[in-house]
Amino acid sequence: MSFELNIIGTCSENTDFKSVYIPFISFANKEQKIAIEDYISQQVDDLFKKICPSVNKTQLCYSQIITEKDFKKIEISYFYKNFFDDLERDSNGKLNLKIKWSISFDEKCTPIKLAYLSPDYRGHELKPKSLSYNDAKGRLHRKYGTIEINGFPIFYYIYFTLQEILDVIK
């Protein structure tokens, strides 16, 4: 092709994205932005109520997230700046991590699927018929992934689809 389609733009150089594999997405007006952020916030709250209800969590700016491709070339200062800058000690001197999260459009970063297992299950079936990956409304549970230190999650990637985001603004 010798002509430019001008459908997909590129991130300007003054935008501080840490990964070249993270898409830059924007919409036409502030109302769409608010609707999407409200939706994401509610979905994230619902997920954390299911997986760890008492966790102290904060959002990591979307432009600061990285993918598995970035791990080999990212500097260690990235982790200190984004995950450990707000460490605090409790009254016993134990470190309290504040769990970070951000959305992801990359399924490879979010391999964990929640499932519902009926209370009637007694553990004798290898593949229980009462196992479901849908919530009470029939929708698939939200997928997520983590970055862990010593088996303890310090960051959660929370999977959203672009179609899901578009449905919210429509």
Side-chain angles (χ1 to χ4, degrees), residues 8-169:
I8 298 173
T10 57
C11 184
S12 66
E13 292 190 21
N14 62 359
T15 305
D16 189 24
F17 273 75
K18 290 294 178 199
S19 175
V20 296
Y21 307 108
I22 304 298
F24 179 71
I25 298 170
S26 65
F27 292 98
N29 59 51
K30 193 171 186 173
E31 290 80 23
Q32 291 173 332
K33 177 184 180 328
I34 291 169
I36 292 166
E37 288 177 348
D38 288 348
Y39 174 77
I40 289 171
S41 177
Q42 182 61 50
Q43 293 294 310
V44 168
D45 286 345
D46 289 348
L47 175 69
F48 277 104
K49 284 178 191 172
K50 293 174 186 171
I51 61 175
C52 47
S54 61
V55 72
N56 183 7
K57 64 185 181 327
T58 57
Q59 181 185 9
L60 178 64
C61 181
Y62 176 71
S63 65
Q64 298 303 302
I65 66 172
I66 59 175
T67 69
E68 81 282 353
K69 294 277 253 178
D70 300 305
F71 272 91
K72 292 181 181 172
K73 58 185 175 188
I74 199 88
E75 294 180 21
I76 194 72
S77 61
Y78 167 83
F79 294 96
Y80 287 108
K81 180 181 177 189
N82 291 292
F83 300 116
F84 305 123
D85 67 335
D86 56 356
L87 285 176
E88 297 174 352
R89 294 191 181 271
D90 63 14
S91 58
N92 298 327
K94 183 179 175 185
L95 286 176
N96 290 328
L97 284 176
K98 293 181 181 163
I99 305 302
K100 304 290 191 328
W101 67 270
S102 189
I103 68 169
S104 177
F105 296 105
D106 186 353
E107 281 192 273
K108 288 186 178 183
C109 290
T110 59
I112 304 168
K113 270 198 292 193
L114 289 180
Y116 171 78
L117 187 59
S118 170
D120 299 335
Y121 179 65
R122 297 292 177 241
H124 61 277
E125 299 171 46
L126 290 178
K127 290 188 176 182
K129 296 176 186 93
S130 54
L131 181 68
S132 170
Y133 292 104
N134 296 334
D135 65 11
K137 296 179 181 176
R139 299 173 301 204
L140 286 175
H141 283 295
R142 179 88 33 216
K143 290 178 59 178
Y144 67 97
T146 61
I147 295 175
E148 299 177 358
I149 293 183
N150 290 335
F152 184 78
I154 61 166
F155 177 75
Y156 286 84
Y157 290 99
I158 303 172
Y159 181 67
F160 287 84
T161 66
L162 187 53
Q163 185 61 53
E164 181 180 10
I165 300 300
L166 292 172
D167 288 347
V168 170
I169 63 170

